[in-house]
């Protein structure tokens, strides 16, 4: 296996340099504005469960490794496109090999790209009673993994061992799909178990390929180490237990020079039932494990150069941001920047572990460093993000004006639907509440609201709970952005230039974002125009606009 041209020298992935002295109090602050507010993305992020008792936050720029005299420990995660085929996996192997020269490594891996979508579709086909369609998806996945294995692994014994593992994982999948298809019921547990198969196939593949190429590795199913609650489809880690399991199961491998390759996206309850952390959740797996091991750094290797000023698929001129704060990155993720799962920053908030976002396909580039405070000198608008797949729900109208506790009852219904609210607008004088949720959760949220207000609505002809599925959100993100009114004014002008109507504006309780609700079809034009307005595509790191 050859070293990739210009492969980034692992020494430049050096120890953490956070100079944070204290753990900031980030509890959500009210902006005093009763009419509009944005849900603070990671207010819960500061929960102390991510920091073990007796573990000091890094001080004076000393990393865990420097403090203990050990080799640094890095958690590195590879996303779906990074392991999309044998060629991509060869690049991943180079990065692992080069980084492992100077650091102990814990590797976290996603399913090969597209695989989880196919598995979800197999689960849905099974629910519809179409087992043959599900089985044919599983066969497709077998071929895909077999092809990659044959390209990467030449030892017959190793290939056979891997084939047996693949067979047993796919057999489990097939049994689950058959049961689902017979009962025509897709339980949350079964959905998680089926959609987890991709990681359970990719981790053994990568570990076997690494081992064959001289990097001793072992695949580990995260069900062995990442303990979660039983919120299937969006489980949360139980950090103390996770830490204990990581020490018992993974630490000995590190001590013996073996690279553990752990499945992202999944965990298990205390009873051993498989859970998933939610779609895109491998990023979260990486930072949970980073916190559990008190890693010196966590790196998310993906298919873009880092965190960019906007999604490059929407804004071709978007630039890489060299350094960004936890808060800004969390806001971007919360408001739709797919490069990070929305919960990614949570586990690091108290350990102050630096997070890097880097490009598997351009490892010579430095990427983006996400640090507790961001770059000392910068302020102003840092990036834009958009959420095209959103829905605006309104609870209001004349009949609601006299109903007591509308706000509290609305929140109760939202909680029942487990909907993640992106932003809320409220007019207390008229009992009018509008809020935006991801489209996928809109129907369940409306149903929960109708149940909650059933009595009041029974006598009404007019519908007081309405759903608008034609909207999107553009969010301007940055810390110390300066005058919010100036930011709003400039964004307003930029949107107006493209004839984009603004349906609502909401300023975040964190003072770190301002969101504009617009028509879904206007999102792209609005993003491009606003990106130009703040000159985000042209800027050098020191030139972030301050207004
Ligand atoms: P992975 O498979 O590595 O997890 P994802 O597809 O989940 O990768 O995330 C990477 C994608 O995120 C990029 O290809 C890009 O289109 C998208 N993206 C959205 N917003 C941003 C942003 N601000 N910066 C970088 N990438 C972004
Ligand atoms: N494979 C999972 C998904 O596609 C998790 C991840 O990629 O982060 O959602
Ligand atoms: Mg991802």
């Amino acid at each position: 296996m050859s070293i990739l041209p210009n492969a980034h020298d692992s020494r430049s992935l050096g120890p953490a340099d956070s100079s944070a002295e204290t753990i900031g109090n980030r509890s959500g602050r009210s902006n005093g504005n009763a009419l509009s507010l944005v849900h603070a993305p990671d207010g819960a992020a500061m929960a102390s469960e991510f920091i073990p008792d007796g573990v000091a936050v890094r001080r004076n720029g000393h990393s865990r490794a420097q403090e203990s005299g050990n080799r640094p420990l890095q958690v590195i995660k590879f996303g779906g496109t990074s392991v999309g085929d044998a060629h991509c996996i060869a690049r991943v192997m180079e990065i692992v090999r080069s980084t492992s020269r100077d650091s102990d490594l814990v590797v976290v891996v996603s399913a090969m790209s597209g695989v989880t979508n196919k598995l979800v579709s197999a689960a849905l086909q099974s629910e519809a009673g179409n087992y043959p369609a599900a089985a044919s998806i599983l066969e497709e996945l077998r071929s895909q993994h077999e092809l990659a294995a044959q390209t990467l692994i030449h030892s017959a014994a190793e290939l056979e061992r891997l084939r047996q593992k693949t067979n047993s994982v796919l057999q489990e999948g097939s049994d689950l799909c058959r049961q689902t298809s017979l009962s025509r019921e897709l339980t949350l547990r079964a959905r998680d178990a089926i959609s987890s198969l991709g990681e359970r196939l990719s981790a053994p593949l990568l570990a076997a390929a690494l081992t064959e190429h001289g990097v001793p590795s072992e695949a580990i199913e995260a069900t062995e180490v990442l303990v979660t609650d039983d919120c299937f489809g969006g489980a949360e880690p139980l950090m103390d237990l996770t830490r204990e399991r990581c020490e018992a199961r993974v630490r000995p491998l590190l001590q013996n020079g073996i690279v553990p390759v752990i499945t992202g996206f999944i965990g298990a309850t205390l009873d051993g039932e498989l859970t998933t952390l939610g779609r895109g959740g491998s990023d979260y797996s990486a930072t949970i494990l980073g916190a559990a091991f008190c890693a010196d750094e966590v790196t998310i290797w993906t298919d873009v150069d880092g965190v960019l000023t906007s999604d490059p698929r929407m804004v071709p001129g978007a630039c890489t941001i060299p350094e960004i704060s936890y808060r800004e990155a969390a806001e971007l993720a919360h408001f739709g920047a797919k490069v990070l799962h929305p919960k990614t920053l949570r586990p690091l908030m108290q350990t102050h572990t630096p997070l890097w976002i880097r490009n598997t396909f351009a490892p010579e580039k430095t990427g983006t460093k996400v640090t507790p405070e961001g770059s000392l000198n910068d302020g102003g608008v840092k990036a834009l993000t958009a959420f095209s797949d959103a829905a605006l729900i309104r609870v209001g109208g004349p009949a609601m004006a006299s109903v007591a506790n509308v706000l509290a009852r609305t929140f109760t219904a939202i909680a029942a639907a487990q909907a993640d609210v992106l932003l809320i607008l409220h007019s207390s004088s008229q009992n009018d509440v509008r809020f935006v949720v991801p489209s996928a959760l809109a129907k369940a949220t409306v149903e929960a609201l109708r149940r909650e207000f059933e009595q009041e609505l029974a006598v009404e002809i007019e519908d007081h709970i309405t759903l608008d599925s034609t909207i999107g959100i553009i969010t301007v993100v940055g810390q110390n952005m300066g005058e919010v009114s100036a930011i709003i004014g400039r964004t307003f002008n930029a949107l107006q230039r493209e004839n984009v109507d603004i349906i609502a504006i909401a300023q975040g309780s964190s003072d770190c974002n301002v969101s504009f609700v617009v028509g879904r079809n206007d999102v792209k034009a609005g993003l491009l125009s606003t990106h130009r307005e703040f000159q985000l595509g042209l800027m050098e790191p020191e030139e972030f606009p301050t207004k």
Side-chain angles (χ1 to χ4, degrees):
M1 186 174 66
S2 64
I3 299 288
L4 287 175
N6 300 324
H8 195 88
D9 186 335
S10 62
R11 275 163 299 188
S12 67
L13 292 176
D17 67 358
S18 162
S19 57
E21 288 289 341
T22 52
I23 301 166
N25 174 5
R26 306 249 185 169
S27 56
R29 246 182 329 126
S30 160
N31 63 0
N33 181 350
L35 279 177
S36 71
L37 58 129
V38 179
H39 168 67
D42 264 331
M46 318 304 157
S48 61
E49 74 261 22
F50 291 110
I51 191 163
D53 288 345
V55 170
V57 170
R58 287 184 179 74
R59 290 173 195 281
N60 306 324
H62 292 156
S63 72
R64 184 197 60 86
Q66 285 169 332
E67 280 159 4
S68 64
N70 292 333
R71 266 157 63 90
L73 174 65
Q74 297 200 36
V75 175
I76 60 177
K77 175 254 166 176
F78 295 93
T81 31
S82 300
V83 291
D85 60 23
H87 180 73
C88 301
I89 295 175
R91 288 177 166 271
V92 165
M93 286 154 64
E94 280 298 339
I95 292 167
V96 173
R97 184 212 285 279
S98 125
T99 315
S100 68
R101 290 201 193 104
D102 299 313
S103 300
D104 286 344
L105 281 191
V106 172
V107 175
V108 176
V109 70
S110 292
M112 292 173 87
S113 91
V115 166
T116 313
N117 283 347
K118 287 186 187 160
L119 288 165
V120 170
S121 139
L124 295 175
Q125 291 286 4
S126 308
E127 187 182 30
N130 192 350
Y131 172 72
S136 105
I137 291 173
L138 296 181
E139 278 318 304
E140 218 182 290
L141 298 183
R142 186 194 306 281
S143 310
Q144 182 180 350
H145 288 80
E146 175 70 23
L147 180 66
Q150 280 178 0
T151 314
L152 292 164
I153 298 161
H154 302 114
S155 139
E158 195 58 46
L159 257 183
E160 187 45 37
R161 212 182 55 82
L162 186 60
R163 211 168 273 139
Q164 279 174 19
K165 176 70 191 170
T166 305
N167 285 344
S168 91
V169 170
L170 288 174
Q171 186 58 51
E172 266 186 62
S174 167
D175 292 346
L176 282 160
C177 288
R178 199 188 296 276
Q179 280 156 23
T180 304
S181 149
L182 287 173
S183 64
R184 300 273 177 113
E185 190 200 356
L186 180 62
T187 62
L188 291 175
R189 283 171 171 75
R191 192 187 161 104
D192 272 7
I194 296 170
S195 56
S196 74
L197 299 175
E199 276 73 9
R200 296 181 60 207
L201 293 172
S202 64
L205 172 62
L206 177 58
L210 281 167
T211 304
E212 166 142 323
H213 289 85
V215 182
S217 305
E218 185 174 323
I220 297 181
E221 299 209 348
T223 43
E224 290 188 59
V225 290
L226 207 162
V227 187
T228 71
D229 63 17
D230 61 359
C231 186
F232 295 92
E236 289 296 343
L238 304 178
M239 284 309 288
D240 286 339
L241 291 164
T242 299
R243 227 172 267 120
E244 273 172 30
R245 300 249 179 118
C246 284
E247 287 306 315
R249 175 70 176 91
V250 183
R251 185 73 69 183
L253 298 183
L254 297 175
Q255 284 160 350
N256 288 316
I258 296 169
V259 175
V261 178
I262 304 182
T263 54
F265 183 47
I266 64 184
T269 64
L270 254 183
D271 299 336
E273 281 208 77
L274 188 145
T275 53
T276 68
L277 308 180
R279 292 304 306 271
S282 294
D283 299 332
Y284 194 28
S285 306
T287 52
I288 290 168
L289 294 169
F293 283 107
C294 285
D296 291 274
E297 290 181 341
V298 177
T299 303
I300 289 178
W301 290 91
T302 182
D303 61 354
V304 282
D305 288 346
V307 177
L308 274 65
T309 49
S310 194
D311 185 346
R313 289 181 210 191
M314 302 272 256
V315 181
C319 290
T320 308
I321 302 169
E323 186 166 347
I324 191 169
S325 68
Y326 283 176
R327 191 84 218 168
E328 290 166 320
E331 301 275 3
L332 282 173
H334 180 75
F335 286 105
K338 194 179 169 231
V339 66
L340 291 177
H341 183 273
K343 294 176 186 167
T344 309
L345 274 308
R346 284 188 190 184
L348 306 184
M349 294 254 181
Q350 295 205 348
T351 57
H352 287 193
T353 312
L355 173 72
W356 289 87
I357 320 300
R358 296 186 58 183
N359 193 341
T360 303
F361 305 97
E364 71 284 2
K365 296 195 175 154
T366 326
T368 297
K369 187 176 189 183
V370 190
T371 55
E373 306 301 339
S375 165
L376 279 184
N377 298 325
D378 71 35
V381 172
K382 188 68 72 68
L384 308 177
T385 185
F387 215 106
S388 300
D389 221 2
L392 179 70
I393 297 174
R394 178 180 177 220
V395 178
M400 286 293 178
S402 54
V403 177
N405 297 328
V406 168
L407 202 52
R409 290 171 64 189
T410 299
F411 282 127
T412 306
I414 292 171
Q418 297 190 335
D420 189 10
V421 176
L422 294 161
L423 59 86
I424 302 167
L425 304 138
H426 176 225
S427 164
S428 50
S429 60
Q430 295 183 22
N431 259 352
D432 188 288
V433 192
R434 294 165 203 225
F435 56 94
V436 178
V437 295
S439 300
L441 296 164
K443 191 165 161 267
T445 311
V446 167
E447 282 166 7
L449 284 162
R450 294 221 160 104
R451 277 196 300 277
E452 178 64 41
F453 293 105
E454 199 174 2
Q455 280 187 350
E456 287 83 356
L457 296 179
V459 290
E460 294 297 329
I461 300 158
E462 198 188 326
D463 194 354
H464 295 276
I465 296 169
T466 56
L467 170 66
D468 180 353
S469 297
T470 63
I471 60 119
I473 310 176
I474 294 174
T475 302
V476 178
V477 173
Q479 59 190 6
N480 311 320
M481 286 200 293
E483 286 280 319
V484 170
S485 54
I487 304 284
I488 291 177
R490 286 183 67 176
T491 311
F492 194 86
N493 289 339
L495 295 177
Q496 222 175 26
R497 272 199 294 277
E498 295 295 324
N499 296 320
V500 173
D501 283 337
I502 300 173
I503 298 166
I505 300 177
Q507 186 210 334
S509 55
S510 65
D511 292 343
C512 213
N513 68 63
V514 187
S515 290
F516 298 80
V517 181
V518 298
R520 184 170 300 166
N521 294 337
D522 289 335
V523 166
K524 185 160 185 189
L527 259 187
L528 285 166
S529 182
T530 311
H531 199 262
R532 257 196 313 276
E533 171 65 32
F534 290 105
Q535 300 178 340
L536 296 173
L538 305 174
M539 70 193 173
E540 294 301 319
E542 62 276 12
E543 289 176 352
F544 292 121
T546 52
K547 284 190 187 162

